[in-house]
Amino acid sequence: MTLSQPARPRLVDFHCHLDLYPDHAALIRECDSEAVATLAVTTTPKAWPRNRDLARTSTHVRVALGLHPQLVAEREAELPLFERYLSEARYVGEVGLDAGPRFYRSFEAQERVFARVLAACAEQGDKILTLHSVRAVGKVLGHLERALPPDRGRVILHWFTGTAAEARRASERGCYFSINSEMLRSPKHRQLVAGLPLDRLLTETDGPFVEVGGRPVRPSAVAQTVADLAKLRGEPVDAMASLIVANLRVLVAPVT
């Protein structure tokens, strides 16, 4: 089953770490009851089987196979496990690069892993990837341009904080952008989001890492992000919600 099949969502959370909440199984049921199409990203391949099994009968939750760049220093040895599971997964994430000061020492290893991930996705085809690109948007786009042709996989830049020029480059490559509430707190990032193509926008929470009122946000919290995006882009809230769902349906439609 894919997100493009009949049950129509109200909202979209395209990047959430469901398995890092204490009530993982209950949260899957909540996504279904609230009709929030949710991509449950994972941070290590070892997390894939349990996540896959818990969401197997879910209407609105899909699971992505990941190897988080911040964990590559400790988890690079899981890359063969990632490659073994990849044929089971249409969605891939969280993967990418992080050149922030805490993780820069592993950047060479991150690039090695990311290149292998992209090559495997390109070989299998029709994968949908949600990518981490902290202080590394140019490097991420360079890897994509070299290793993952647009007809071999689709890409969403999660929590994008690059430049306007990098946003244009990503848009020209066919990338989507998933927007969360933290991005819209910053005037600089609001200005960036205001210039992104409407037909490439998705919403996300990145929960439980994003908090509101001292508590981790839950997938249904994207309703506020939709409202904030609507205000930013001068659109009615209902129209923005419908647009984001329509963008999702285009994104996940099988490649023909």
Side-chain angles (χ1 to χ4, degrees):
M1 188 184 297
T2 71
L3 285 166
S4 61
Q5 287 182 332
R8 182 175 176 83
R10 288 189 313 112
L11 297 165
V12 176
D13 181 355
F14 207 76
H15 194 104
C16 188
H17 298 264
L18 294 188
D19 61 348
L20 301 184
Y21 290 79
D23 55 344
H24 182 180
L27 194 51
I28 292 173
R29 295 191 294 272
E30 184 178 304
C31 292
D32 285 340
S33 66
E34 297 284 344
V36 183
T38 303
L39 186 65
V41 295
T42 54
T43 56
T44 71
K46 286 184 178 178
W48 165 259
R50 182 172 183 270
N51 276 266
R52 175 202 59 201
D53 293 348
L54 280 174
R56 193 182 298 277
T57 61
S58 173
T59 305
H60 290 293
V61 175
R62 299 295 174 267
V63 178
L65 172 66
L67 180 49
H68 200 295
Q70 293 178 354
L71 299 181
V72 161
E74 300 85 33
R75 302 285 188 138
E76 184 177 2
E78 290 186 35
L79 185 55
L81 190 60
F82 177 98
E83 293 169 328
R84 186 191 317 165
Y85 287 140
L86 184 60
S87 63
E88 302 178 27
R90 188 176 186 213
Y91 301 91
V92 173
E94 181 168 0
V95 296
L97 299 174
D98 192 314
R102 287 181 58 199
F103 304 103
Y104 191 74
R105 283 187 299 177
S106 68
F107 198 76
E108 183 178 341
Q110 291 178 42
E111 288 200 278
R112 188 164 58 239
V113 167
F114 190 44
R116 288 251 313 252
V117 165
L118 293 179
C121 289
E123 181 179 357
Q124 294 193 19
D126 200 25
K127 303 300 185 187
I128 298 172
L129 296 81
T130 176
L131 301 186
H132 182 108
S133 58
V134 171
R135 299 192 182 187
V137 174
K139 289 280 192 179
V140 165
L141 294 176
H143 278 277
L144 288 174
E145 289 158 359
R146 288 190 296 274
L148 187 68
D151 64 347
R152 300 302 296 166
R154 298 171 183 173
V155 170
I156 304 88
L157 294 173
H158 137 71
W159 201 329
F160 180 81
T161 56
T163 65
E166 288 169 336
R168 286 192 297 273
R169 180 180 170 191
S171 298
E172 289 166 3
R173 161 60 180 70
C175 296
Y176 287 69
F177 304 84
S178 54
I179 311 302
N180 63 45
S181 59
E182 282 298 305
M183 294 172 67
L184 298 177
R185 293 181 190 275
S186 158
K188 175 184 175 182
H189 294 148
R190 281 200 304 273
Q191 182 178 8
L192 180 70
V193 172
L196 296 176
L198 278 173
D199 63 352
R200 302 288 179 77
L201 295 181
L202 296 169
T203 45
E204 65 163 64
T205 59
D206 201 21
F209 297 107
V210 171
E211 297 185 348
V212 173
R215 301 183 65 179
V217 296
R218 298 173 81 80
S220 59
V222 291
Q224 184 59 54
T225 305
V226 170
D228 293 342
L229 270 175
K231 182 177 180 180
L232 179 68
R233 300 301 297 255
E235 300 282 343
V237 174
D238 288 350
M240 180 59 72
S242 295
L243 172 74
I244 290 167
V245 170
N247 289 348
L248 175 69
R249 295 176 78 84
V250 171
L251 173 71
V252 304
V255 174
T256 57

